[in-house]
Amino acid sequence: MAKPLPEITSLTRPLWEGAKRGELLLQRCRRCGKHQWYPRPSCHKCGSLDLEWVKSSGMGTVYSFTVIRRVVGNAPEFSSDIPFVVAEIDLDEGVRVYSNVVGVKPEEVSVGMRVRVFFEEAGPEISLFKFRPAT
Ligand SMILES: [Zn+2]
C-alpha cells in the first residue's frame, strides 16, 4: 500500500531536489544568519525575504521521540512499519526537525543520541530524509 508523500510546492522544491541528490538543505537568512526549519517565504526571526538554501551537515541529536506501536484511524499504510520511531531531532545548525530514527531497535533510541541523516527513495521526485545512529 502506497504511503502518502509530501507535496512539492514552489517553496519546498529546493528541499526535495536536494534530498534527491542526497543533501539535506535548510533555509538561512542572509540578513541575520539564522537557519530555519520548515521552509517559509520569510525569516521567522527578522522577517527578511532574503533567504538562501544551504547544505546541512546532516548531523543532529535526538531531542525527544515516541515509538509508534499501533496504527489507529486512517493510516493503514504504516502498519507494516510498526514499531517505528518518530523523533524531534536538533540539527547541528540549530533547527529542530521531525523525522524517523531507523537502523536501531526502538528501545535503543535515547534522548541525546547522535544521529546522521540518510535518504530513502519514495518516488520519482521524493527522497525522504531519515536518521540513523551516527556511530
Ligand atoms: Zn533573519
Side-chain angles (χ1 to χ4, degrees):
M1 192 176 293
K3 293 175 183 164
L5 293 176
E7 181 183 345
I8 297 174
T9 66
S10 59
L11 183 62
T12 62
R13 183 166 297 282
L15 168 72
W16 299 115
E17 289 176 351
K20 268 290 164 197
R21 296 190 304 268
E23 298 179 347
L24 180 56
L25 300 184
L26 302 174
Q27 287 179 309
R28 184 172 60 195
C29 177
R30 286 192 175 105
R31 183 199 285 170
C32 74
K34 297 288 187 190
H35 292 85
Q36 69 180 5
W37 181 264
Y38 48 92
R40 283 170 260 203
S42 61
C43 174
H44 74 295
K45 292 286 185 193
C46 76
S48 173
L49 299 175
D50 191 7
L51 301 173
E52 61 183 341
W53 288 93
V54 297
K55 186 178 172 184
S56 164
S57 67
M59 295 296 298
T61 303
V62 174
Y63 170 78
S64 182
F65 69 98
T66 188
V67 180
I68 308 297
R69 299 186 185 280
R70 195 163 63 120
V71 170
V72 294
N74 212 7
E77 306 90 341
F78 295 92
S79 296
S80 61
D81 294 344
I82 287 176
F84 62 94
V85 173
V86 176
E88 289 183 286
I89 295 162
D90 288 339
L91 296 180
D92 288 358
E93 289 80 10
V95 299
R96 185 169 292 161
V97 302
Y98 281 96
S99 187
N100 298 118
V101 177
V102 303
V104 61
K105 292 177 183 169
E107 57 270 25
E108 293 172 353
V109 175
S110 61
V111 169
M113 173 182 264
R114 291 288 288 163
V115 291
R116 180 192 311 272
V117 76
F118 75 99
F119 298 87
E120 189 176 276
E121 188 170 316
E125 287 192 292
I126 298 281
S127 286
L128 299 174
F129 56 92
K130 297 186 176 185
F131 289 79
R132 296 182 177 120
T135 51

